[in-house]
Amino acid sequence: MSLINPTLVLNCGSSSIKYALISEDGESRIEGLAEALGNADARIKHKNLDGSKIEINIPNSGAHTEALQIILGELISEYKPVAVGHRVVHGGDKFKSATVITDEVLATIEELASLAPLHNPANAAGIRAINAIYPDLPQVAIFDTAFHQSMPAHAYRYAIPKELYTEHQIRRYGFHGSSHAYVSNRASALTDKPAPHGWVVAHLGNGCSATAVYEGKSLDTSMGITPLEGLMMGTRSGDLDPSMHIHLHRTLGLSIEEIDTLLNKKSGLLGVSGISNDMRNLETAAKEGNIDAILALEMFAYRTAKYILGLTAALPTFTGIAFTGGVGENGADMRASIVSHLKHLGAKIDADKNQALFRGAEGSFHTADSSIELWVIPTDEEFQIAFETKAVLGL
């Protein structure tokens, strides 16, 4: 194995860096995670080219720059990247595709922090850190929101006064763009059905979103101006009555900040079950008869199926559903439960195939007489980011 002309992919969070160094052909990679940045127990969990793993403590409670110095120096210095692709969460309506990072682009990413206050500043910190270490290395921003810039206005506009859109860019943006792009492209490559292809991609994990993709373009998606809109998630509520904020403020005296925390971090599977945001824990509790866990799982399946059905309205052709994400890739029982609500579509499951798809397995699980195809496709956002980085740079 070797890493020829590799691309470095960075996903910088507020206290973490997920990284991957991917070979030109996409067949080999080094990867790892720097976590707890800024804390005394900051560390890097690294996986070498041969699959061996090491863990390194970061001295002085290191931040992004210190972590990247170790990653680029001690861990991957043998394979200097030809470019760096950064996952950037929010590009607003400014960026419609992968974009080479200039000083002006970086400034705009920081200006858009009001739309993603937890993510864009961290993404910008990663860009600045690379500038400090390798100032001549080309960097590209791949925006979560860019894939969804192909949505038509009737899908991305909110039914609110026009000036809120024209003057303040309040509209639906969508997220998980790299995942939806990769999975939909992969589904079209795997199917035997002739083009054109229309997919609903269900990215189900702790964060969840579904997207209607037609011939590689997003036509509608479940998340909105923030990742809170749409599906029920691990700790996020998903869709609810827009007056919930004022109701909770009036009746319980909660502040806007407290309500925001409640809906983003204390709701979803965790809030309904009172147990966990982890689907595996809830399935165990449900088998033991816990009624709150049972309800949380039923709600998750029903609400996901309802969104899938709704998104089919956006597709000129409906080829099938592609499941991805931690739950989508490993949760055979949850996949079956979701599909059970799609009876009017004529979707039929091959139970044995469904149960066999987990831990990175890729394949279909529909029967021969199913009216739509059902796929499990492990997402590879790092590969997608590397692919788009090289494409925009002409590498």
Side-chain angles (χ1 to χ4, degrees):
M1 290 187 294
S2 62
L3 288 177
I4 299 172
N5 296 327
T7 300
L8 177 63
V9 175
L10 293 179
N11 181 353
C12 295
S14 57
S15 61
S16 66
I17 302 173
K18 186 178 181 182
Y19 62 92
L21 191 66
I22 302 176
S23 62
E24 188 174 44
D25 61 6
E27 296 297 321
S28 305
R29 70 180 66 185
I30 293 170
E31 59 190 356
L33 173 68
E35 57 186 0
L37 299 180
N39 298 320
D41 58 346
R43 60 194 176 275
I44 298 172
K45 296 179 179 179
H46 179 81
K47 185 177 179 181
N48 288 310
L49 193 59
D50 61 4
S52 61
K53 298 178 182 180
I54 58 175
E55 188 168 319
I56 297 175
N57 292 323
I58 303 175
N60 305 318
S61 302
H64 291 77
T65 301
E66 288 78 12
L68 282 170
Q69 284 174 337
I70 294 173
I71 293 165
L72 293 170
E74 296 180 28
L75 298 176
I76 63 173
S77 59
E78 183 179 350
Y79 309 102
K80 183 178 178 181
V82 296
V84 183
H86 293 265
R87 179 204 179 202
V88 180
V89 167
H90 221 304
D93 58 1
K94 307 291 185 184
F95 302 103
K96 302 185 186 304
S97 61
T99 303
V100 177
I101 297 172
T102 62
D103 290 341
E104 182 180 2
V105 169
L106 177 56
T108 304
I109 290 170
E110 293 177 321
E111 288 170 9
L112 291 167
S114 61
L115 292 173
L118 297 179
H119 297 94
N120 272 37
N123 303 152
I127 295 167
R128 292 190 180 280
I130 291 292
N131 276 337
I133 299 167
Y134 281 134
D136 298 326
L137 201 60
Q139 300 187 72
V140 175
I142 286 78
F143 299 90
D144 268 16
T145 51
F147 180 65
H148 302 293
Q149 286 292 303
S150 53
M151 288 193 296
H154 65 256
Y156 70 70
R157 286 284 296 274
Y158 286 115
I160 56 177
K162 181 180 179 180
E163 59 268 21
L164 290 174
Y165 166 65
T166 56
E167 297 177 20
H168 302 285
Q169 297 78 51
I170 296 176
R171 50 158 286 180
R172 304 181 65 250
Y173 289 101
F175 299 89
H176 292 144
S178 294
S179 178
H180 289 296
Y182 175 83
V183 172
S184 58
N185 286 337
R186 183 66 182 152
S188 289
L190 290 169
T191 183
D192 291 330
K193 287 193 174 180
H197 299 131
W199 302 101
V200 172
V201 177
H203 178 112
L204 307 178
N206 191 48
C208 302
S209 65
T211 297
V213 185
Y214 180 69
E215 288 296 87
K217 294 189 175 183
S218 172
L219 297 185
D220 199 358
T221 193
S222 58
M223 286 180 169
I225 191 172
T226 77
L228 183 60
E229 184 180 346
L231 305 180
M232 179 179 175
M233 309 182 210
T235 64
R236 295 185 187 126
S237 65
D239 287 348
L240 42 70
D241 189 323
S243 292
M244 184 68 76
H245 285 71
I246 193 68
H247 176 75
L248 291 174
H249 174 68
R250 285 173 175 167
T251 58
L252 301 180
L254 299 180
S255 68
I256 290 294
E257 290 74 18
E258 289 171 328
I259 296 168
D260 186 62
T261 298
L262 175 75
L263 299 181
N264 277 286
K265 298 182 179 180
K266 299 180 180 179
S267 298
L269 290 171
L270 174 64
V272 174
S273 70
I275 298 173
S276 176
N277 63 316
D278 191 311
M279 187 77 69
R280 294 165 295 187
N281 296 338
L282 297 186
E283 289 177 338
T284 298
K287 290 175 183 176
E288 295 170 352
N290 185 292
I291 58 173
D292 292 325
I294 293 170
L295 177 61
L297 294 172
E298 289 177 343
M299 287 176 63
F300 185 94
Y302 172 71
R303 290 164 65 108
T304 301
K306 190 165 67 166
Y307 244 104
I308 290 172
L309 283 166
L311 287 168
T312 64
L315 295 172
T317 298
F318 184 32
T319 311
I321 304 165
F323 291 89
T324 195
V327 173
E329 294 169 25
N330 297 295
D333 291 345
M334 179 51 66
R335 292 193 299 260
S337 185
I338 291 168
V339 175
S340 72
H341 292 293
L342 306 177
K343 48 192 174 294
H344 300 304
L345 292 180
K348 297 181 181 180
I349 284 181
D350 182 315
D352 291 337
K353 286 184 178 180
N354 183 39
Q355 289 295 327
L357 290 167
F358 61 97
R359 293 183 182 174
E362 177 183 79
S364 64
F365 62 101
H366 52 273
T367 61
D369 61 340
S370 177
S371 62
I372 60 169
E373 295 190 353
L374 303 168
W375 289 87
V376 172
I377 299 176
T379 192
D380 193 344
E381 294 172 272
E382 289 76 25
F383 176 89
Q384 184 68 27
I385 290 170
F387 174 80
E388 294 187 32
T389 296
K390 290 185 293 183
V392 76
L393 293 171
L395 298 176

